[in-house]
Amino acid sequence: MRIFDPHIHMTSRTTDDYEAMYAAGVRALVEPSFWLGQPRTSPASFFDYFDALLGWEPFRAAQHGIAHHCALALNPKEANDPRCTPVLDALPRYLVKDSVVAVGEIGYDSMTPAEDTALAAQLQLAADHGLPALVHTPHRDKLAGLHRTLDVLRESALPPDRVLLDHLNETTVKPAADSGCWLGFSVYPDTKMDEDRVVAVLKTHGLARTLVNSAADWGRSDPLKTRRVGDAMLAAGFADADVDQVLWRNPVEFYGLSGRLRLDVPPPQTPGDPRGVGGPPLHEGNSILRGGE
Amino acid sequence: MTPLTRTELDGLLDGAARAWLDDALAEAASHAAARTTAGAPPSPPSRIPPWEVRFAAAGRCCSPEHADAVRTLLLHEARADLKTLTRLYRQGAAAERRAVLLSLPRLVDSSAALPLVDDALRTNDTRLLTAALGPYAAAHLDSHSWRQAVLKCLFTGVPLDHVHQLAVRARGDAELARMLTDYAAERTAAGRPVPPDVHRALALAEED
């Protein structure tokens, strides 16, 4: 089973996670920029984070045989802090980078006027840069948030077939599907969706334009939930090709809209044990270890 | 790494990439010419010069395996000065930073770009370490930083073949020999193998 996790925050995860993900079949992922748990207080803090998503994290992922791309944006929560909003002015120079495959994650948190402004501005940036957008739906007041999101999308220059609406559930999937956008389901241990509920939604709504992600981050979450969904699909009678469509071909098609996906990362030297027995893994001809080991 | 020439690159790129590179180099040359023309209107600060967008996009437009060569050509054609190189490094993704580091020997004839090399050597990203340890570092890096860089290569598994003029700088360096001997002892005490490059560098450092 080959897996593309279209939404996971690897900055918050360990090398054990990378190893387990590779062993489970994950070969590619997209890391959208988001809130770090601790609010940022300046644009410079975002820039260091963006640099990590363009430098260190892809390097770390490649060490484990996983292709890493990112989506960059000012997240909706911090769009409310005027100390952070200058990030919007700096985004154009980041959105031209090779491994940026979307603007995201954007959307609503508390549905404030500042979030309206940031969402509209960043949808325009996506259109201007030939990028699709990853738009999450809010955790609180989700259905109303979805409708407000769809209103802003309709007024934007970005067509719905270049938008992935994420964190959907049973109450929001129909209006989201009717909008013509791509549909994302985040599978969590306790909140959001679980694997069996996702399988039920897939049976009802079909597989087209549907993506499943772990959205794993610094909270209670599980980077192997994509694999669990694949297993649950097979157990429910879906074919291998169906699993491949949801867990690989659909995310490749969506992020491929950017024209920037590169999925040819070589495997680690010893799968599941990237340091190998005889030495460290090779990346571009070089092995990688932390200094001091 | 010896940068590829335009002719060599043309033999490697497909038609679309060659056409893209033609346009990119023309934009870089035009930027260089405008900078030297008195009274040329400056670009608005919020607008990224077109050749710099090309610099960022070289991986997807000419393939990642040729990106180093394309980007170093662009920097050369734009006659990027230290201020520009520093900005492109600081604002660049890792692959762009690599290209800046690889360009230093051709574009900077003083030690003024050492802060960029120091920055790269502080990382654990072997793509940056290898690019930082070319002819520019061999010419300008002070002894302490250079020894630390050699040791870091050994720690991170970067083959010492990537260290430009290793033999020249290592020869007779008693302090480097001491560091390598201590490192070998530490590995042995931990029951870990001593990388062959340690013995090789030690032999060089112990030469008169």
Side-chain angles (χ1 to χ4, degrees), chain A residues 93 96 109 148 156 207 209 223 248 257:
Chain A
R93 70 175 161 88
V96 299
D109 181 56
R148 187 154 160 179
S156 79
L207 312 179
R209 291 185 288 119
W248 186 265
L257 293 170

Side-chain angles (χ1 to χ4, degrees), chain A residues 51 54-56 58-59 92-99 259-260 262 280 283-293, chain B residues 48 53 56-60 64-65 71 90-94 96-97 124-127 130 155-159 162 187:
Chain A
D51 286 346
L54 294 164
W56 181 241
F59 183 67
R93 70 175 161 88
Y94 285 100
L95 296 181
V96 299
K97 305 299 187 193
D98 277 333
S99 62
R260 304 184 194 179
R262 302 286 307 192
H283 176 73
E284 295 185 357
N286 300 313
S287 55
I288 307 146
L289 280 177
R290 181 195 305 276
E293 286 177 295
Chain B
I48 309 170
V53 177
R60 61 184 179 271
E65 56 267 38
R71 289 194 172 108
R90 289 186 177 156
Q91 296 182 352
E96 295 165 66
R97 294 180 181 200
N124 276 14
D125 186 333
T126 52
R127 297 168 302 178
T130 52
F155 270 79
T156 54
V158 172
H162 286 286
R187 297 280 303 180

